[in-house]
Amino acid sequence: MRSTRGIGLATVGAVTLATAFVATLTAHSQEAQAETYEWSNAAVAGGGFVPGIVFNETQEDLIYARTDIGGLYRWQEASQTWKPLLDWVGWDDWGYTGVVSVATDPVDPERVYAAVGTYTNDWDPNNGAVLYSDDYGETWGVAELPFKQGGNMPGRGMGERLAIDPSDNSTLYLGTPSGNGLWKSTDYGHTWAKVTGFPNAGDFVVTPGDPYLGDNQGVLWTEFYGNSIYVGVADPDNPVYVSTNDGATWAPLAGASQMGSVDGYPNIPKQAAIDEVNGYMYVITSWDPGPYNGPPADGARGGSVWRYQIATGTWTQIHPGPNAASYQGFGFGGLTLDAQDPGTLMVTSVNAWWPDETTYRSTDSGATWTQSWTFNGYPNRVNRYAINASSVGWLDWGTSPSAPEQNPKYGWMIESMAIDPHDSDRVMWGTGATIYGSTNLTNWDSNTTFNVTPMVHGLEETAVQDLAAPPSGPELYSALGDIGGFAHTSLTSVPSDFFLAPAMTTATSIDFAELSPSTVARVGALDGTVNIGISTSSGSSWWAGQVPGGATGGGTVAVTANAGAIVWAPDGLTPQRSTTYGSSWTAVTGLPTGARVESDRADANRVYGFSGGRFYYSSNGGASFTQAAYTGFPATGNVRFGAVPGKAGHVWLAGGADDGTYGMWRSTDGGASWTAVAGFDAADTVGFGAAAPGKTYPAIYASASRSGERGIWRSVDEGATWTRINDDEHQWGWTGSAITGDPNVFGRVYIGTNGRGIIVGESSDYVPTDPTSSPTTSVSPTQSTSPTQSPSENPTTGGPAGSCTATWSSTNAWPGGYQGSVVVTNSTGSAKTGWTLKWTFANGEQIGSLWGGRWTQSGGAVTVTNESWNGSLASGASATVGYTATMPGSAPVRPTPTCTMT
């Protein structure tokens, strides 16, 4: 049932605001040398959901933040940064990076516990665990559990599911999902047993049968008061149980069942907190476990707030919304009490996507409330707070929305909010992308402004999809989940903006032209709409290329070495080729749908592809492909490959699956023939960086398993020998998405993780094993033709004004909002240099963001004019405008757009 094992962590300390930690280690290798590596992050600051923030009740400045896929962090007061605590989690146990719950011991503050496990379905093959530490998370033991946990499942913001009994801190309780009930440890979390007398494992399921939404939410939280233990359960009929005999027997808490229905919708008790001074237990409820829920479809209340007077057993609904019980709106996500000022509490709405999230505050135990912002005659807002997000500039999302929406937002997906128990002025709350906080919160009560800033530095939570390190321009390009990606002009400073025009919620691939590195292409999707971005300015400005019909996902993109062509293999469509910087596309031949594509880094005529266990190569800039004869590649699993800078025709490939072929291969003739690289029993991604001193071949980096040893590997001698440059204290879970060396700095490597951001490794004391040779000039690249057309930044004058057609469609919708698009087509019969769109919303819709044009809205009237890069349209050509907007109904009302051209 259990296993305990000690796992050591090196001590790591903050060095700058943007870089959370730098750790050193000595590489162990299959070469005869010793070498020190230092590890840090390329600074992004946040980038993902923070569902839990927990302050220790007795030790000041001891704070933990848990993330859904990025591990656990501890606050460092001196540097105002977060320190990662689970970087030792390795490839096989990657699910431990999803933290379901954290508990910090009020009796022995050095003790901390984390319930871990990412998915309760088969996406994670392993069971969960409880991690225990008696040195603030510097080192850990592992108590394995016989069931899974869901750090990235619905309901991950509820709880805390893990709780320490303050009267006997050797005793802990753990609420579990999936019908596994309530569990207990009596030896500081080292061993666990099910509480067999606990009668209810929960029964609330969002969508029965769905692989992600179909799990029983289970047992949610535990609170202690005197000799009573209260446990929240995802069962609207019996949402709270109580025991007065140390958990031997349990009974439904009288009167609690009235919380289980709000306006006819079932509700579950998401969080609870006890005010011991006044003898109250507070409970917030919601109709959905979160973190994505909004209000019920018919506009009923999404949840409520309740106060239970423990001495009398009296329940009072203290819903804080306008007009109290008649309020139509969202459920609640966060709850916190002020330990220094009993009777003061705060709750927060959850996923009020438009116009903004709201926090409610009461100083009289919920009898009356004030709000973080209110309307002063729609759409004018009066905020009690002022946000300065300049230290994480991209939090403004690159938009300037119309009132009442503001940027940066106060938050979204708020399910963690905590007032410092030692300081009434400090509060922190987690959003879908950051941690916000204030150190003068009590200004709220005197009707003066309280200040809000990101308190997220050092917490790096991005999921990396792709990385590319150019020889000039930015240090690095990243393609990221949720926030698209960045041109990292500095590795230690947070970028001011992520990629815009077009923006992407998730970018899947990014590439630059090796011999003309200012040309960059990236692909991905914005809320399901596929798009491609192209830059000829090293990522400082972008325009949106046309998207060929039939594309269903971003796929991968390759730019030929001299920028003569872009080859794009979007999901759902035959790979496409453009020699016009994405303004037109032609299907390639010989390469299957769904292939992965990469360009040669020296020969502009060569482009490569892989699909279904077969490799493909092109010698005409990606116009057509030939299938290689070699058949020894993996037929299943992920396969990634790359070409070597300065070495025409040199390609390395890594990939496979545990139940099939798995390893690394190389080609020196442009993919026509291949050789397996000996010693790798598994390899997942491979990349290249500056050659070592005395060497001419670029250094090779891989995330792989060599002779049974998982790690980050490097070769400086064309793969003859390999060094593992990380160690077991620095593994970062799963590292199979992307890896690349720096082309200008030997030893620097960039590693993509799934939730721990972009890891940067630096070699500080490499000693060549054979210093006799000296660098020589690499082979000269083969050139090919230049692009036949470049994007028009300054369009030429066209014909006279004329007509055009405008076609509207809705591409996505959600409660309270939708995404729409309008396609402008030049039907005048001659080329034009500009266009204007107009339409009127008939149902009070308000645009939140718009791309592909410059827009204004007055009442329901919308006007959109072209951008500089998409105004010129040949006869029959089109441009697309996309937007998101609010809507009062369940479906958008179709507008009728008109357009004119000049």
Side-chain angles (χ1 to χ4, degrees), residues 766-859:
Y766 171 79
V767 178
T769 56
D770 181 10
T772 58
S773 62
S774 59
T776 59
T777 304
S778 59
V779 297
S780 299
T782 303
Q783 301 289 330
S784 69
T785 58
S786 298
T788 59
Q789 177 182 331
S790 61
S792 177
E793 295 293 341
N794 297 293
T796 57
T797 301
S803 63
C804 60
T805 59
T807 305
W808 178 91
S809 63
S810 175
T811 54
N812 193 14
W814 53 90
Y818 77 101
Q819 180 177 324
S821 66
V822 182
V823 178
V824 183
T825 302
N826 179 3
S827 57
T828 66
S830 62
K832 300 299 177 184
T833 60
W835 48 263
T836 300
L837 275 171
K838 293 185 177 182
W839 70 84
T840 300
F841 287 125
N843 205 19
E845 296 92 335
Q846 291 287 322
I847 289 179
S849 61
L850 185 145
W851 53 97
R854 302 175 183 179
W855 65 282
T856 61
Q857 181 173 357
S858 177

Side-chain angles (χ1 to χ4, degrees), residues 610-614 631-640 653-665 681-684:
F610 186 92
S611 178
R614 301 304 296 266
T631 59
F633 291 123
T636 60
N638 291 316
V639 171
R640 297 172 176 85
L653 181 148
D658 289 331
D659 58 355
T661 305
Y662 207 170
M664 185 184 294
W665 294 259
D681 45 87
D684 293 273

